[in-house]
Amino acid sequence: MAYRSLTSQEISVLESNQCRCADWALVEVADNFAANDVRNCEFSGRIRIGERVKIKNVGLLCMDGVSCFGNGTELTLLDENGSRSIRIFNKLTSQLTHLQCFWKSDEDFVEAYDAIIDEYVERQKSRVMTIGDGAEISNCGEIRNVQIGECAKINGAHVLENGTVLSCEQAPTSVTWGVIARDFIIAEGAQVTDGAQIERCFVGNSSEVGEQFAATDSVFFANCQMMHGESAALFAGPFSVSHHKSTLLIAASLSMFNAGSGSNQSNHMYKSGPIHYGVVDRGSKFGSDSYMAWPSRIGVFSVVLGKHKSKVNVPDFPFSYLVSEGMYSRVLPGLSLRSLGTYRDVNKWESRDKRAANQKNDIINFGLFNPYTIGQIRRGYKRLARFLDEGDERRELDKNVLISRKPSMTGYELYDLALRIYIGLNAAKCDGADDEWVDLSGMLARRAEIESLTRSVADGSVDSVESLRDALSAIASKYDEANASYATAVAESMLGKEQLDDSDLQQLRDSALRAVDDLKRLVVADAQKEYEGAFRWNFGIDQSDDSRNREFE
């Protein structure tokens, strides 16, 4: 967009509207600038104002020197001593963060990736602060070295310093009362509201941070909701939620996650400092007043209950309940597979994706049964089979982590149902490939494809943020084909065949449909527990038993 200097008439209007500036020559505006829409503000430094911009009651809008507007800010993610540090930038995604954070051992890749980020950050460097078309800024304290996107709504922010508020007409961004933000990037469609305090943070598309939530060195990707509590060194992948005042999320990688009230973690043992961190796989939940000692690793769609004071490493037991018993943690394998809440969560995520169609920067695979979750189930299935064959009533998996025979029998049966459903509904007449899969904070891919991508970055074939994002999108576009190939390989292994024929596929589908029916019965039985007598107590309290039952039903 072309900008021009203010006319003398426009300066007169601004000054009559109680606007102040030491040097109006440093302020440039779009051709259709309306001076009457700017009132009671102080400007300092080089500032550009777009069309249809409204500004009123702002203590200071200041551009001071040269800035990258939050781009290139280093965050000490996970390990607070810095071994997993990342840098934020406008086009950051959950996948790009995952690669920065978890692929540190490949020095050639890290060096090349750093150079890519350097180049992108350099492009954002400027001496000019720009307020995009249609933006509205009102009742704010100080806004210093902040790029403000088109249609952004900033109302009542206390301090915004060294950052970028990305925004567009399709996904306007909102920053409201009492917000203090320093060294930040807020993506399109996000809302940072009601006294939130963020420092060295990235807030992703359509995420919400508010209600006095305090965050440092944290990233929140698509559709996260963070209210009341606090976070530090947190890698919150898509759809991570915390709504309670007493909740601390520290030094953890998680996605599609829900934190109960009072849940918290410890990331150091008062020896080497805060170097430890936790990895909580997709779909998991922490119950109210739960506690985890890091380092720990939790499998997909698991539920953590109680206080776990010893380290826990159970990625091979997905869909489990992890229950504390004194200094021990007991694993109840597979129980989440028969919980109605698991299926409710999976169904709600995609329907609650608030991102605009042109702002789906984070790649998300929503399905419950996929090569990543099934990979964990297969490992758990084999481990449970060995345990049950050996006849022990109880076993210590790791120090202070227990598993017992009866829950293991239940888990084995539930894993069997899940495997039958997955292969029966996904196997096809195609070449099978039993590859290892990874979850890049929402995006599922074969490890080999990600390794190939990192080599392309290292050798310069992929040499920009844009081409890296395009390469990830290309991998994601092949998910259905790769998923069918994996399911076919699993089926071939289970049937002991080199290639499936039509009869095999029909047999697998019939088995899957029976497994679906069996699992549905278990889920319905679980749901019916919420309709038992105790749950009726507070219905129709002034009425007869018959009336109370009718009201409940």
Side-chain angles (χ1 to χ4, degrees):
M1 173 183 289
Y3 293 90
R4 60 172 175 79
S5 298
L6 290 163
T7 65
S8 57
Q9 183 178 2
E10 288 169 334
I11 293 172
S12 296
V13 171
L14 290 169
E15 290 180 341
S16 68
N17 288 343
Q18 306 303 311
C19 294
R20 302 163 298 283
C21 183
D23 186 354
W24 286 111
L26 297 178
V27 178
E28 296 181 329
V29 297
D31 281 340
N32 294 329
F33 172 70
N36 275 324
D37 288 335
V38 181
R39 297 174 177 272
N40 193 27
C41 306
E42 181 171 352
F43 298 92
S44 177
R46 299 187 63 185
I47 298 173
R48 288 175 176 167
I49 303 174
E51 298 178 345
R52 307 182 314 282
V53 170
K54 296 181 179 180
I55 307 173
K56 67 177 181 179
N57 303 331
V58 178
L60 180 64
L61 278 164
C62 174
M63 182 63 211
D64 184 9
V66 177
S67 178
C68 294
F69 308 98
N71 285 269
T73 297
E74 185 173 349
L75 279 57
T76 54
L77 227 56
L78 303 185
D79 172 8
E80 289 191 280
N81 281 1
S83 72
R84 298 284 166 188
S85 292
I86 66 137
R87 288 187 290 163
I88 60 173
F89 48 92
N90 291 348
K91 293 185 178 292
L92 188 66
T93 68
S94 55
Q95 285 73 51
L96 295 180
T97 302
H98 186 101
L99 290 173
Q100 278 195 76
C101 197
F102 288 111
W103 289 72
K104 295 285 193 183
S105 61
D106 186 339
E107 294 181 0
D108 292 336
F109 166 70
V110 170
E111 182 179 355
Y113 194 0
D114 281 345
I116 287 173
I117 296 172
D118 287 341
E119 187 274 335
Y120 182 86
V121 170
E122 186 65 24
R123 279 189 271 151
Q124 311 314 308
K125 187 178 292 185
S126 178
R127 294 180 178 275
V128 181
M129 173 178 163
T130 301
I131 302 171
D133 295 349
E136 297 181 11
I137 309 172
S138 58
N139 306 311
C140 295
E142 180 176 312
I143 301 176
R144 180 183 296 270
N145 291 15
V146 177
Q147 296 286 36
I148 299 171
E150 63 180 40
C151 299
K153 303 293 187 289
I154 303 177
N155 180 22
H158 184 52
V159 175
L160 304 180
E161 183 176 344
N162 187 37
T164 297
V165 179
L166 299 167
S167 183
C168 64
E169 184 176 2
Q170 298 84 358
T173 300
S174 177
V175 181
T176 70
W177 289 98
V179 168
I180 299 175
R182 294 185 173 93
D183 305 320
F184 67 92
I185 295 173
I186 302 172
E188 296 88 345
Q191 299 180 45
V192 181
T193 64
D194 302 327
Q197 298 183 36
I198 62 174
E199 185 168 3
R200 299 185 301 280
C201 288
F202 182 96
V203 181
N205 295 126
S206 299
S207 288
E208 300 175 35
V209 179
E211 304 291 346
Q212 299 88 45
F213 191 87
T216 57
D217 292 281
S218 297
V219 292
F220 311 97
F221 288 100
N223 296 289
C224 283
Q225 292 182 329
M226 296 287 155
M227 308 295 174
H228 296 295
E230 60 180 308
S231 72
L234 178 68
F235 182 175
F239 291 96
S240 296
V241 174
S242 176
H243 282 169
H244 306 285
K245 286 184 178 179
S246 54
T247 298
L248 167 67
L249 298 174
I250 186 168
S253 171
L254 39 86
S255 65
M256 302 178 181
F257 167 85
N258 193 298
S261 63
S263 55
N264 65 91
Q265 311 84 43
S266 292
N267 63 330
H268 63 86
M269 302 174 69
Y270 301 98
K271 296 178 181 179
S272 302
I275 63 173
H276 305 296
Y277 57 90
V279 176
V280 182
D281 274 327
R282 61 166 51 202
S284 293
K285 300 177 181 178
F286 284 2
S288 296
D289 294 322
S290 62
Y291 166 84
M292 290 294 300
W294 299 145
S296 290
R297 177 78 185 272
I298 310 298
V300 299
F301 289 94
S302 293
V303 179
V304 175
L305 300 173
K307 299 184 184 300
H308 300 265
K309 300 176 182 179
S310 298
K311 300 176 285 294
V312 177
N313 183 36
V314 288
D316 290 351
F317 295 100
F319 296 93
S320 293
Y321 277 52
L322 190 65
V323 182
S324 64
E325 294 183 3
M327 290 301 296
Y328 288 92
S329 299
R330 184 176 296 278
V331 181
L332 305 177
L335 287 191
S336 292
L337 283 167
R338 68 184 190 190
S339 169
L340 177 64
T342 299
Y343 303 92
R344 179 178 176 272
D345 286 343
V346 172
N347 290 330
K348 76 183 180 185
W349 287 322
E350 190 165 11
S351 66
R352 294 183 183 180
D353 190 345
K354 296 178 292 184
R355 295 175 295 170
N358 65 337
Q359 295 298 330
K360 295 191 174 183
N361 297 326
D362 300 326
I363 301 169
I364 306 172
N365 296 103
F366 290 99
L368 178 65
F369 298 140
N370 55 62
Y372 185 74
T373 59
I374 290 297
Q376 290 193 2
I377 286 176
R378 290 172 71 193
R379 294 192 293 273
Y381 189 67
K382 292 175 182 177
R383 291 186 67 176
L384 290 179
R386 288 195 300 269
F387 171 55
L388 294 171
D389 285 344
E390 290 164 3
D392 296 337
E393 285 299 320
R394 191 179 82 160
R395 177 172 296 177
E396 196 166 342
L397 294 172
D398 291 309
K399 184 179 181 181
N400 297 329
V401 180
L402 303 176
I403 192 167
S404 299
R405 184 171 186 80
K406 186 175 180 179
S408 295
M409 292 173 66
T410 301
Y412 183 83
E413 293 167 358
L414 289 166
Y415 286 165
D416 182 71
L417 291 176
L419 287 169
R420 287 164 54 196
I421 292 169
Y422 173 72
I423 62 174
L425 299 182
N426 292 277
K429 291 182 72 174
C430 64
D431 293 333
D434 192 359
D435 297 313
E436 185 176 355
W437 282 63
V438 293
D439 184 351
L440 274 69
S441 189
M443 172 186 164
L444 305 176
R446 295 188 302 118
R447 177 184 293 278
E449 288 188 296
I450 303 305
E451 289 174 341
S452 176
L453 173 58
T454 61
R455 289 193 296 271
S456 294
V457 171
D459 67 21
S461 302
V462 173
D463 61 357
S464 68
V465 168
E466 293 79 7
S467 62
L468 183 50
R469 285 180 49 163
D470 288 345
L472 286 164
S473 295
I475 293 171
S477 70
K478 297 182 289 185
Y479 171 80
D480 289 342
E481 178 184 347
N483 176 54
S485 180
Y486 177 81
T488 300
V490 176
E492 290 168 348
S493 175
M494 293 182 70
L495 296 178
K497 289 202 165 189
E498 292 186 0
Q499 190 169 11
L500 302 179
D501 57 28
D502 290 337
S503 175
D504 296 325
L505 293 173
Q506 187 60 53
Q507 176 187 340
L508 291 168
R509 290 192 182 98
D510 291 344
S511 176
L513 293 176
R514 291 193 299 271
V516 167
D517 288 339
D518 290 343
L519 191 56
K520 280 183 178 178
R521 281 192 288 271
L522 293 171
V523 172
V524 170
D526 178 71
Q528 285 176 338
K529 294 175 183 177
E530 295 197 31
Y531 292 85
E532 294 174 350
F535 293 95
R536 301 170 185 255
W537 289 347
N538 295 328
F539 286 80
I541 59 174
D542 297 324
Q543 303 173 47
S544 67
D545 289 346
D546 287 343
S547 297
R548 179 165 57 246
N549 289 336
R550 285 197 300 272
E551 182 178 317
F552 178 82
E553 293 165 358

